[in-house]
Amino acid sequence: MVTPLRSRIASANEPGCNFPIQNLPYGVFSIQGAAPRCGVAIGDRVLDLAACEAQGLIEAGGTFAEAQLNGFIALGRAKWDDVRARLTGLLAEGATEDLPLVAMADVTLHLPIRVAEFTDFYASRNHAFNVGVLFRGPENALPPQWTHMPIGYNGRASSVVVSGTPIRRPMGQVRGENGPEWTACRRLDLELELGAIVGGDSTMGERLSVERAEGMIFGYVLLNDWSARDIQAWEYQPLGPFQSKALGTTISPWIVPQAALEPFRSAGAERVNPLLPYLQEERPGFYDLTIGWTMNGQVMGRTNYNAMYYSSAQQLAHHTQTGCPMRVGDLLGTGTISGPARDQTGALLEMTQGGKEPVDVNGQSRTFLEDGDEIGLFAHADGEGYRIGFGPCTGRILPAQA
């Protein structure tokens, strides 16, 4: 067994630590009296990257002093690799440089990127089938094109928020017994997802291959695409979700770089039919990544990212096939990640069969989210002697405002 690399930060070497030296996720933080700037999580500390640049320990064109990571991400993969190698050396056991470290407990975490655009996909066959059965029956659960291409919709970048931001129950138009009603959402739900951060631009009219798309992904965050199911059911035909998905999308504050997940590459779900050449991958685009969610502190669902049918690289490549330009800071949601069993589903809509089969949460019956409920997402990949974690992705439901 190979001894894993150890860090000079003792907490980063503890079993089960989300942020060992093998991870080094990027985020944006502030301390009292100081402006937000970029940092890296290591154990129970945050390494101040702006201060590192000022000390001459790393070089990123001054981008780490900015209040979002877009500037650094735009420098490209060679710079990402160079900085990661330098940070690994600075934080390794035995290194002696004086480092500007801040206790994680003393920082406020911010949205790590300026979200350029947000697109959410529908890439879990288990989830798509389960939801399709509820809406259309088992015979028509999957649309005929689903196994041939990634399906998605353009969401709202303006309502993407960082973990810990409260989510207000939306008002909206729903189907009533005698026509439409204006009411507070009665079927509020979560969606367990990963979000891929696009790290490069493409030009209008340009089509990306899956291989190039893979090279443009900077890293991943946890993503909860909050969903108003009753509003969605009334509005989604014929053009898909709209206001039912605009109420808020929560992401985790730390971006786990693609490089940290490289040792965990994994094949995805078994193919039903061959994909067209532009969507075919030369190597697996998924990761052996445990992912799940909690409700009011109770673990509700747990599955693996490798249950998905389309990878983020395939989604990004498909996004450009009609010439749509992509931008640094674009956010691509995987869609709900679900396994085949009930306790592997990533949304209450599936878990409760559309509200017909309540679940027990700390001794209380639930079908959909109630005011005051808190949802948390978690994910980790386990290597030999270390864990790549994502940190918190939480949100609490506030009452509607009529």
PDB file of all heavy atoms in Angstrom, residues 191-221:
ATOM      1  N   GLU A 191     -33.303  18.897  -5.039  1.00  0.00           N
ATOM      2  CA  GLU A 191     -32.714  18.005  -6.038  1.00  0.00           C
ATOM      3  C   GLU A 191     -31.221  17.874  -5.744  1.00  0.00           C
ATOM      4  O   GLU A 191     -30.497  18.875  -5.688  1.00  0.00           O
ATOM      5  CB  GLU A 191     -32.951  18.517  -7.459  1.00  0.00           C
ATOM      6  CG  GLU A 191     -34.401  18.393  -7.893  1.00  0.00           C
ATOM      7  CD  GLU A 191     -34.600  18.560  -9.392  1.00  0.00           C
ATOM      8  OE1 GLU A 191     -33.675  19.067 -10.057  1.00  0.00           O
ATOM      9  OE2 GLU A 191     -35.678  18.182  -9.884  1.00  0.00           O
ATOM     10  N   LEU A 192     -30.775  16.653  -5.540  1.00  0.00           N
ATOM     11  CA  LEU A 192     -29.386  16.329  -5.236  1.00  0.00           C
ATOM     12  C   LEU A 192     -28.581  16.285  -6.536  1.00  0.00           C
ATOM     13  O   LEU A 192     -28.805  15.407  -7.372  1.00  0.00           O
ATOM     14  CB  LEU A 192     -29.331  14.972  -4.524  1.00  0.00           C
ATOM     15  CG  LEU A 192     -27.962  14.329  -4.323  1.00  0.00           C
ATOM     16  CD1 LEU A 192     -27.125  15.127  -3.339  1.00  0.00           C
ATOM     17  CD2 LEU A 192     -28.131  12.882  -3.849  1.00  0.00           C
ATOM     18  N   GLU A 193     -27.625  17.208  -6.690  1.00  0.00           N
ATOM     19  CA  GLU A 193     -26.877  17.297  -7.940  1.00  0.00           C
ATOM     20  C   GLU A 193     -25.421  17.674  -7.687  1.00  0.00           C
ATOM     21  O   GLU A 193     -25.058  18.145  -6.612  1.00  0.00           O
ATOM     22  CB  GLU A 193     -27.484  18.357  -8.874  1.00  0.00           C
ATOM     23  CG  GLU A 193     -28.961  18.181  -9.170  1.00  0.00           C
ATOM     24  CD  GLU A 193     -29.461  19.138 -10.253  1.00  0.00           C
ATOM     25  OE1 GLU A 193     -28.648  19.556 -11.104  1.00  0.00           O
ATOM     26  OE2 GLU A 193     -30.657  19.458 -10.245  1.00  0.00           O
ATOM     27  N   LEU A 194     -24.614  17.487  -8.719  1.00  0.00           N
ATOM     28  CA  LEU A 194     -23.301  18.111  -8.817  1.00  0.00           C
ATOM     29  C   LEU A 194     -23.386  19.233  -9.844  1.00  0.00           C
ATOM     30  O   LEU A 194     -24.193  19.166 -10.780  1.00  0.00           O
ATOM     31  CB  LEU A 194     -22.237  17.115  -9.270  1.00  0.00           C
ATOM     32  CG  LEU A 194     -21.682  16.105  -8.274  1.00  0.00           C
ATOM     33  CD1 LEU A 194     -20.602  15.272  -8.955  1.00  0.00           C
ATOM     34  CD2 LEU A 194     -21.103  16.804  -7.049  1.00  0.00           C
ATOM     35  N   GLY A 195     -22.548  20.236  -9.663  1.00  0.00           N
ATOM     36  CA  GLY A 195     -22.449  21.308 -10.641  1.00  0.00           C
ATOM     37  C   GLY A 195     -21.034  21.377 -11.178  1.00  0.00           C
ATOM     38  O   GLY A 195     -20.067  21.381 -10.401  1.00  0.00           O
ATOM     39  N   ALA A 196     -20.890  21.404 -12.490  1.00  0.00           N
ATOM     40  CA  ALA A 196     -19.578  21.541 -13.121  1.00  0.00           C
ATOM     41  C   ALA A 196     -19.329  23.006 -13.457  1.00  0.00           C
ATOM     42  O   ALA A 196     -20.216  23.693 -13.976  1.00  0.00           O
ATOM     43  CB  ALA A 196     -19.490  20.694 -14.396  1.00  0.00           C
ATOM     44  N   ILE A 197     -18.123  23.495 -13.143  1.00  0.00           N
ATOM     45  CA  ILE A 197     -17.742  24.874 -13.417  1.00  0.00           C
ATOM     46  C   ILE A 197     -16.941  24.914 -14.717  1.00  0.00           C
ATOM     47  O   ILE A 197     -15.878  24.294 -14.819  1.00  0.00           O
ATOM     48  CB  ILE A 197     -16.887  25.459 -12.278  1.00  0.00           C
ATOM     49  CG1 ILE A 197     -17.552  25.236 -10.922  1.00  0.00           C
ATOM     50  CG2 ILE A 197     -16.592  26.927 -12.538  1.00  0.00           C
ATOM     51  CD1 ILE A 197     -18.871  25.911 -10.736  1.00  0.00           C
ATOM     52  N   VAL A 198     -17.467  25.624 -15.715  1.00  0.00           N
ATOM     53  CA  VAL A 198     -16.775  25.739 -16.999  1.00  0.00           C
ATOM     54  C   VAL A 198     -15.600  26.698 -16.845  1.00  0.00           C
ATOM     55  O   VAL A 198     -15.747  27.799 -16.313  1.00  0.00           O
ATOM     56  CB  VAL A 198     -17.740  26.227 -18.097  1.00  0.00           C
ATOM     57  CG1 VAL A 198     -16.995  26.431 -19.420  1.00  0.00           C
ATOM     58  CG2 VAL A 198     -18.871  25.219 -18.280  1.00  0.00           C
ATOM     59  N   GLY A 199     -14.434  26.271 -17.314  1.00  0.00           N
ATOM     60  CA  GLY A 199     -13.214  27.032 -17.111  1.00  0.00           C
ATOM     61  C   GLY A 199     -12.619  27.650 -18.350  1.00  0.00           C
ATOM     62  O   GLY A 199     -11.462  28.090 -18.339  1.00  0.00           O
ATOM     63  N   GLY A 200     -13.384  27.688 -19.460  1.00  0.00           N
ATOM     64  CA  GLY A 200     -12.865  28.299 -20.681  1.00  0.00           C
ATOM     65  C   GLY A 200     -13.989  28.817 -21.544  1.00  0.00           C
ATOM     66  O   GLY A 200     -15.150  28.416 -21.383  1.00  0.00           O
ATOM     67  N   ASP A 201     -13.653  29.708 -22.458  1.00  0.00           N
ATOM     68  CA  ASP A 201     -14.630  30.262 -23.387  1.00  0.00           C
ATOM     69  C   ASP A 201     -14.631  29.483 -24.692  1.00  0.00           C
ATOM     70  O   ASP A 201     -13.611  28.920 -25.108  1.00  0.00           O
ATOM     71  CB  ASP A 201     -14.305  31.722 -23.714  1.00  0.00           C
ATOM     72  CG  ASP A 201     -14.463  32.650 -22.524  1.00  0.00           C
ATOM     73  OD1 ASP A 201     -15.113  32.239 -21.548  1.00  0.00           O
ATOM     74  OD2 ASP A 201     -13.938  33.778 -22.582  1.00  0.00           O
ATOM     75  N   SER A 202     -15.775  29.465 -25.362  1.00  0.00           N
ATOM     76  CA  SER A 202     -15.843  29.024 -26.753  1.00  0.00           C
ATOM     77  C   SER A 202     -16.544  30.124 -27.538  1.00  0.00           C
ATOM     78  O   SER A 202     -17.257  30.949 -26.969  1.00  0.00           O
ATOM     79  CB  SER A 202     -16.579  27.684 -26.897  1.00  0.00           C
ATOM     80  OG  SER A 202     -17.938  27.809 -26.518  1.00  0.00           O
ATOM     81  N   THR A 203     -16.329  30.152 -28.826  1.00  0.00           N
ATOM     82  CA  THR A 203     -16.881  31.215 -29.655  1.00  0.00           C
ATOM     83  C   THR A 203     -18.216  30.790 -30.252  1.00  0.00           C
ATOM     84  O   THR A 203     -18.504  29.593 -30.397  1.00  0.00           O
ATOM     85  CB  THR A 203     -15.917  31.592 -30.784  1.00  0.00           C
ATOM     86  OG1 THR A 203     -15.671  30.435 -31.599  1.00  0.00           O
ATOM     87  CG2 THR A 203     -14.586  32.081 -30.213  1.00  0.00           C
ATOM     88  N   MET A 204     -19.014  31.774 -30.612  1.00  0.00           N
ATOM     89  CA  MET A 204     -20.305  31.489 -31.219  1.00  0.00           C
ATOM     90  C   MET A 204     -20.095  30.761 -32.550  1.00  0.00           C
ATOM     91  O   MET A 204     -19.275  31.161 -33.372  1.00  0.00           O
ATOM     92  CB  MET A 204     -21.074  32.785 -31.444  1.00  0.00           C
ATOM     93  CG  MET A 204     -22.514  32.583 -31.858  1.00  0.00           C
ATOM     94  SD  MET A 204     -23.450  34.119 -31.731  1.00  0.00           S
ATOM     95  CE  MET A 204     -25.058  33.535 -32.300  1.00  0.00           C
ATOM     96  N   GLY A 205     -20.815  29.658 -32.732  1.00  0.00           N
ATOM     97  CA  GLY A 205     -20.665  28.842 -33.930  1.00  0.00           C
ATOM     98  C   GLY A 205     -19.681  27.705 -33.782  1.00  0.00           C
ATOM     99  O   GLY A 205     -19.611  26.826 -34.640  1.00  0.00           O
ATOM    100  N   GLU A 206     -18.922  27.691 -32.682  1.00  0.00           N
ATOM    101  CA  GLU A 206     -17.920  26.650 -32.442  1.00  0.00           C
ATOM    102  C   GLU A 206     -18.547  25.464 -31.722  1.00  0.00           C
ATOM    103  O   GLU A 206     -19.338  25.628 -30.794  1.00  0.00           O
ATOM    104  CB  GLU A 206     -16.790  27.235 -31.595  1.00  0.00           C
ATOM    105  CG  GLU A 206     -15.671  26.262 -31.265  1.00  0.00           C
ATOM    106  CD  GLU A 206     -14.611  26.881 -30.368  1.00  0.00           C
ATOM    107  OE1 GLU A 206     -14.852  27.972 -29.811  1.00  0.00           O
ATOM    108  OE2 GLU A 206     -13.545  26.268 -30.212  1.00  0.00           O
ATOM    109  N   ARG A 207     -18.188  24.251 -32.140  1.00  0.00           N
ATOM    110  CA  ARG A 207     -18.659  23.033 -31.500  1.00  0.00           C
ATOM    111  C   ARG A 207     -17.499  22.377 -30.760  1.00  0.00           C
ATOM    112  O   ARG A 207     -16.416  22.214 -31.317  1.00  0.00           O
ATOM    113  CB  ARG A 207     -19.238  22.059 -32.527  1.00  0.00           C
ATOM    114  CG  ARG A 207     -20.466  22.574 -33.260  1.00  0.00           C
ATOM    115  CD  ARG A 207     -21.119  21.469 -34.090  1.00  0.00           C
ATOM    116  NE  ARG A 207     -20.212  20.915 -35.075  1.00  0.00           N
ATOM    117  CZ  ARG A 207     -20.028  21.422 -36.302  1.00  0.00           C
ATOM    118  NH1 ARG A 207     -20.705  22.495 -36.680  1.00  0.00           N
ATOM    119  NH2 ARG A 207     -19.207  20.847 -37.144  1.00  0.00           N
ATOM    120  N   LEU A 208     -17.754  21.987 -29.517  1.00  0.00           N
ATOM    121  CA  LEU A 208     -16.729  21.348 -28.711  1.00  0.00           C
ATOM    122  C   LEU A 208     -16.851  19.837 -28.780  1.00  0.00           C
ATOM    123  O   LEU A 208     -17.959  19.295 -28.726  1.00  0.00           O
ATOM    124  CB  LEU A 208     -16.862  21.771 -27.244  1.00  0.00           C
ATOM    125  CG  LEU A 208     -16.676  23.248 -26.910  1.00  0.00           C
ATOM    126  CD1 LEU A 208     -16.914  23.472 -25.420  1.00  0.00           C
ATOM    127  CD2 LEU A 208     -15.298  23.741 -27.308  1.00  0.00           C
ATOM    128  N   SER A 209     -15.711  19.151 -28.896  1.00  0.00           N
ATOM    129  CA  SER A 209     -15.697  17.705 -28.744  1.00  0.00           C
ATOM    130  C   SER A 209     -15.810  17.373 -27.262  1.00  0.00           C
ATOM    131  O   SER A 209     -15.569  18.213 -26.390  1.00  0.00           O
ATOM    132  CB  SER A 209     -14.387  17.131 -29.299  1.00  0.00           C
ATOM    133  OG  SER A 209     -13.289  17.572 -28.505  1.00  0.00           O
ATOM    134  N   VAL A 210     -16.164  16.128 -26.943  1.00  0.00           N
ATOM    135  CA  VAL A 210     -16.217  15.703 -25.556  1.00  0.00           C
ATOM    136  C   VAL A 210     -14.832  15.820 -24.921  1.00  0.00           C
ATOM    137  O   VAL A 210     -14.694  16.251 -23.764  1.00  0.00           O
ATOM    138  CB  VAL A 210     -16.755  14.264 -25.431  1.00  0.00           C
ATOM    139  CG1 VAL A 210     -16.648  13.762 -23.998  1.00  0.00           C
ATOM    140  CG2 VAL A 210     -18.199  14.189 -25.894  1.00  0.00           C
ATOM    141  N   GLU A 211     -13.798  15.473 -25.678  1.00  0.00           N
ATOM    142  CA  GLU A 211     -12.436  15.541 -25.142  1.00  0.00           C
ATOM    143  C   GLU A 211     -12.059  16.980 -24.783  1.00  0.00           C
ATOM    144  O   GLU A 211     -11.510  17.246 -23.707  1.00  0.00           O
ATOM    145  CB  GLU A 211     -11.441  14.998 -26.170  1.00  0.00           C
ATOM    146  CG  GLU A 211      -9.996  15.008 -25.678  1.00  0.00           C
ATOM    147  CD  GLU A 211      -9.034  14.453 -26.712  1.00  0.00           C
ATOM    148  OE1 GLU A 211      -9.454  14.257 -27.865  1.00  0.00           O
ATOM    149  OE2 GLU A 211      -7.861  14.224 -26.351  1.00  0.00           O
ATOM    150  N   ARG A 212     -12.372  17.929 -25.659  1.00  0.00           N
ATOM    151  CA  ARG A 212     -12.047  19.322 -25.355  1.00  0.00           C
ATOM    152  C   ARG A 212     -12.924  19.848 -24.212  1.00  0.00           C
ATOM    153  O   ARG A 212     -12.459  20.601 -23.355  1.00  0.00           O
ATOM    154  CB  ARG A 212     -12.221  20.207 -26.590  1.00  0.00           C
ATOM    155  CG  ARG A 212     -11.737  21.627 -26.311  1.00  0.00           C
ATOM    156  CD  ARG A 212     -11.743  22.520 -27.505  1.00  0.00           C
ATOM    157  NE  ARG A 212     -11.569  23.898 -27.083  1.00  0.00           N
ATOM    158  CZ  ARG A 212     -11.982  24.939 -27.760  1.00  0.00           C
ATOM    159  NH1 ARG A 212     -12.595  24.770 -28.915  1.00  0.00           N
ATOM    160  NH2 ARG A 212     -11.782  26.163 -27.313  1.00  0.00           N
ATOM    161  N   ALA A 213     -14.180  19.446 -24.212  1.00  0.00           N
ATOM    162  CA  ALA A 213     -15.076  19.858 -23.132  1.00  0.00           C
ATOM    163  C   ALA A 213     -14.545  19.387 -21.783  1.00  0.00           C
ATOM    164  O   ALA A 213     -14.567  20.129 -20.793  1.00  0.00           O
ATOM    165  CB  ALA A 213     -16.479  19.312 -23.374  1.00  0.00           C
ATOM    166  N   GLU A 214     -14.044  18.159 -21.733  1.00  0.00           N
ATOM    167  CA  GLU A 214     -13.459  17.624 -20.505  1.00  0.00           C
ATOM    168  C   GLU A 214     -12.332  18.516 -20.011  1.00  0.00           C
ATOM    169  O   GLU A 214     -12.207  18.792 -18.814  1.00  0.00           O
ATOM    170  CB  GLU A 214     -12.937  16.212 -20.776  1.00  0.00           C
ATOM    171  CG  GLU A 214     -12.090  15.631 -19.684  1.00  0.00           C
ATOM    172  CD  GLU A 214     -12.866  14.755 -18.717  1.00  0.00           C
ATOM    173  OE1 GLU A 214     -13.996  14.368 -19.037  1.00  0.00           O
ATOM    174  OE2 GLU A 214     -12.310  14.472 -17.653  1.00  0.00           O
ATOM    175  N   GLY A 215     -11.509  18.987 -20.941  1.00  0.00           N
ATOM    176  CA  GLY A 215     -10.380  19.839 -20.583  1.00  0.00           C
ATOM    177  C   GLY A 215     -10.777  21.226 -20.137  1.00  0.00           C
ATOM    178  O   GLY A 215      -9.964  21.964 -19.564  1.00  0.00           O
ATOM    179  N   MET A 216     -12.020  21.610 -20.383  1.00  0.00           N
ATOM    180  CA  MET A 216     -12.500  22.937 -20.008  1.00  0.00           C
ATOM    181  C   MET A 216     -13.217  22.953 -18.663  1.00  0.00           C
ATOM    182  O   MET A 216     -13.643  24.014 -18.201  1.00  0.00           O
ATOM    183  CB  MET A 216     -13.444  23.481 -21.090  1.00  0.00           C
ATOM    184  CG  MET A 216     -12.727  23.943 -22.345  1.00  0.00           C
ATOM    185  SD  MET A 216     -13.888  24.412 -23.671  1.00  0.00           S
ATOM    186  CE  MET A 216     -14.805  25.753 -22.883  1.00  0.00           C
ATOM    187  N   ILE A 217     -13.369  21.809 -18.023  1.00  0.00           N
ATOM    188  CA  ILE A 217     -14.045  21.775 -16.724  1.00  0.00           C
ATOM    189  C   ILE A 217     -13.020  22.032 -15.621  1.00  0.00           C
ATOM    190  O   ILE A 217     -12.056  21.291 -15.454  1.00  0.00           O
ATOM    191  CB  ILE A 217     -14.756  20.436 -16.505  1.00  0.00           C
ATOM    192  CG1 ILE A 217     -15.885  20.274 -17.536  1.00  0.00           C
ATOM    193  CG2 ILE A 217     -15.307  20.339 -15.087  1.00  0.00           C
ATOM    194  CD1 ILE A 217     -16.581  18.937 -17.495  1.00  0.00           C
ATOM    195  N   PHE A 218     -13.243  23.116 -14.874  1.00  0.00           N
ATOM    196  CA  PHE A 218     -12.319  23.495 -13.795  1.00  0.00           C
ATOM    197  C   PHE A 218     -12.521  22.622 -12.562  1.00  0.00           C
ATOM    198  O   PHE A 218     -11.558  22.171 -11.945  1.00  0.00           O
ATOM    199  CB  PHE A 218     -12.541  24.969 -13.442  1.00  0.00           C
ATOM    200  CG  PHE A 218     -11.738  25.425 -12.257  1.00  0.00           C
ATOM    201  CD1 PHE A 218     -10.358  25.545 -12.339  1.00  0.00           C
ATOM    202  CD2 PHE A 218     -12.355  25.733 -11.050  1.00  0.00           C
ATOM    203  CE1 PHE A 218      -9.607  25.964 -11.239  1.00  0.00           C
ATOM    204  CE2 PHE A 218     -11.627  26.158  -9.956  1.00  0.00           C
ATOM    205  CZ  PHE A 218     -10.245  26.277 -10.055  1.00  0.00           C
ATOM    206  N   GLY A 219     -13.761  22.393 -12.192  1.00  0.00           N
ATOM    207  CA  GLY A 219     -14.033  21.607 -10.994  1.00  0.00           C
ATOM    208  C   GLY A 219     -15.520  21.465 -10.748  1.00  0.00           C
ATOM    209  O   GLY A 219     -16.342  21.816 -11.604  1.00  0.00           O
ATOM    210  N   TYR A 220     -15.847  20.970  -9.554  1.00  0.00           N
ATOM    211  CA  TYR A 220     -17.231  20.603  -9.240  1.00  0.00           C
ATOM    212  C   TYR A 220     -17.656  21.138  -7.871  1.00  0.00           C
ATOM    213  O   TYR A 220     -16.848  21.251  -6.945  1.00  0.00           O
ATOM    214  CB  TYR A 220     -17.374  19.078  -9.230  1.00  0.00           C
ATOM    215  CG  TYR A 220     -17.178  18.448 -10.582  1.00  0.00           C
ATOM    216  CD1 TYR A 220     -15.898  18.106 -11.035  1.00  0.00           C
ATOM    217  CD2 TYR A 220     -18.253  18.191 -11.419  1.00  0.00           C
ATOM    218  CE1 TYR A 220     -15.709  17.534 -12.282  1.00  0.00           C
ATOM    219  CE2 TYR A 220     -18.078  17.613 -12.668  1.00  0.00           C
ATOM    220  CZ  TYR A 220     -16.806  17.291 -13.090  1.00  0.00           C
ATOM    221  OH  TYR A 220     -16.618  16.729 -14.338  1.00  0.00           O
ATOM    222  N   VAL A 221     -18.943  21.441  -7.765  1.00  0.00           N
ATOM    223  CA  VAL A 221     -19.573  21.819  -6.505  1.00  0.00           C
ATOM    224  C   VAL A 221     -20.797  20.945  -6.289  1.00  0.00           C
ATOM    225  O   VAL A 221     -21.332  20.360  -7.234  1.00  0.00           O
ATOM    226  CB  VAL A 221     -20.009  23.307  -6.504  1.00  0.00           C
ATOM    227  CG1 VAL A 221     -18.807  24.234  -6.525  1.00  0.00           C
ATOM    228  CG2 VAL A 221     -20.952  23.606  -7.675  1.00  0.00           C
TER     229      VAL A 221
END
